Amino acid sequence: MFTLSKDSPLPLYYQLKSDLERFIESGKWQPGMQVPSERELCGQYHVSRITVRQAITGLVNEGRLMREQGRGTFVAHPRIEQELTALTSFTQDMHQRGKKPGSRVLYSGAQELSAQAAHALGLDSSSQQTGFVLKRLRTANGEPLAVETAHLLWPRCAALVEVDMERNSLYDALRRYCDIVPTNARQQIKAAACADAEARLLEVRRGSPVLHIIRTTFAQNGEAFEYVESVYRGDKYVFYAELNMETTRGGAYLHSRAHSNGAG
Ligand code: GLP
């Protein structure tokens, strides 16, 4: 501990960063804990401030540490790792991680749909369409993670009006009261800067990185029943997918399913 090798081919900042990373991984540095100041680390490792700053900045950029202006640097809470190929509900996701899901209803009721929502739900978007709109702040152990606005088929989902959406899972309620089984979905994820209104709800600074997720979800009979626009905190989530090389008769080739604007 506290010794870096000047003879190593690895740069000093990198060695220091790996050492600090080990403290986080081993649990010696717990989430939320304040880490020693740059000056302290310079003294402990006998390296320059530039080296320490480079190591810390690397860990901040990777989301392992958080800098709080005027307060210092802290160990970040681990992000929620979200599989991209399984269709799950927020409630399920949180239960799987041993967290308590919560919802604050920001709006709930029948509303005119945007052309985009109507189109995604398979409705005639050239005329005015009504949907059931449910806007919720989603929390885990009381911590805000996402703002989700679901647009659902109306009057197909009218039974939801009677359901307390602060206490119930939307997907459970759809199965139970509307005979809708969420079966598959199409999803688009893009990076954005957090707007003012969402920043207040998510308790982050305006302009913080967030993920805009747009999902269209289909029922057991292939019918699109929800079109959801969500804003997820960028510092809380990691999305991952397992990718397999597609093969053809001619051998292996790379096939990209990525579209620049083909969501929904
Ligand atoms: C996820 C999805 C949403 C979906 C929600 C349902 O968060 N991104 O599209 O509406 O789950 O969650 P729940 O059943 O917990 O209300």
Side-chain angles (χ1 to χ4, degrees):
M1 205 172 96
F2 301 147
T3 47
L4 305 178
S5 161
K6 295 218 156 80
D7 304 324
S8 163
L10 297 172
L12 285 175
Y13 91 87
Y14 190 84
Q15 293 181 48
L16 174 58
K17 179 170 168 273
S18 308
D19 220 36
L20 304 183
E21 222 156 17
R22 268 194 297 276
F23 294 162
I24 299 171
E25 265 150 35
S26 66
K28 184 172 173 208
W29 283 6
Q30 288 286 320
M33 190 188 122
Q34 183 162 18
V35 309
S37 67
E38 286 183 5
R39 200 160 46 85
E40 284 168 311
L41 289 169
C42 290
Q44 286 170 1
Y45 283 91
H46 307 291
V47 287
S48 72
R49 199 131 179 170
I50 295 173
T51 303
V52 169
R53 196 160 297 164
Q54 212 176 348
I56 299 276
T57 302
L59 291 169
V60 168
N61 291 343
E62 285 170 20
R64 314 291 308 252
L65 296 179
M66 290 177 309
R67 273 201 189 104
E68 288 192 17
Q69 234 171 0
R71 289 191 61 220
T73 306
F74 297 82
V75 179
H77 289 267
R79 292 175 189 225
I80 292 167
E81 291 192 11
Q82 180 82 54
E83 232 266 293
L84 268 179
T85 46
L87 178 64
T88 50
S89 72
F90 184 87
T91 303
Q92 258 178 301
D93 288 338
M94 293 311 123
H95 282 153
Q96 273 166 17
R97 290 163 179 82
K99 292 178 187 276
K100 190 170 179 279
S103 299
R104 172 141 65 92
V105 174
L106 304 167
Y107 179 85
S108 163
Q111 212 183 56
E112 280 181 4
L113 294 174
S114 66
Q116 202 177 355
H119 178 72
L121 291 172
L123 306 171
D124 174 10
S125 53
S126 62
S127 62
Q128 211 41 262
Q129 300 286 349
T130 303
F132 180 75
V133 177
L134 177 63
K135 183 170 180 180
R136 292 176 295 171
L137 174 68
R138 312 303 309 263
T139 61
N141 294 346
E143 183 180 42
L145 290 185
V147 179
E148 293 189 322
T149 310
H151 307 74
L152 297 131
L153 289 178
W154 181 266
R156 180 90 169 75
C157 298
L160 294 178
V161 173
E162 305 294 327
V163 181
D164 178 356
M165 292 314 306
E166 303 229 330
R167 294 177 184 278
N168 286 282
S169 148
L170 172 62
Y171 282 5
D172 282 352
L174 287 167
R175 279 188 208 99
R176 214 173 296 169
Y177 308 113
C178 308
D179 192 26
I180 288 176
V181 182
T183 303
N184 65 299
R186 272 191 224 133
Q187 193 161 280
Q188 166 189 288
I189 304 176
K190 62 183 178 191
C194 195
D196 215 11
E198 277 89 19
R200 266 181 268 128
L201 291 165
L202 294 172
E203 297 171 14
V204 296
R205 283 212 197 99
R206 180 160 60 101
S208 302
V210 286
L211 297 161
H212 273 195
I213 304 183
I214 295 182
R215 178 193 278 193
T216 305
T217 319
F218 301 85
Q220 68 276 30
N221 57 1
E223 156 190 68
F225 67 88
E226 77 162 356
Y227 170 76
V228 187
E229 291 174 335
S230 331
V231 179
Y232 275 66
R233 277 178 61 166
D235 60 337
K236 294 288 171 193
Y237 273 86
V238 178
F239 288 91
Y240 73 94
E242 199 179 298
L243 307 175
N244 295 306
M245 180 74 81
E246 285 195 359
T247 52
T248 63
R249 268 173 289 140
Y253 74 107
L254 267 178
H255 178 76
S256 167
R257 288 182 191 280
H259 299 277
S260 55
N261 60 356

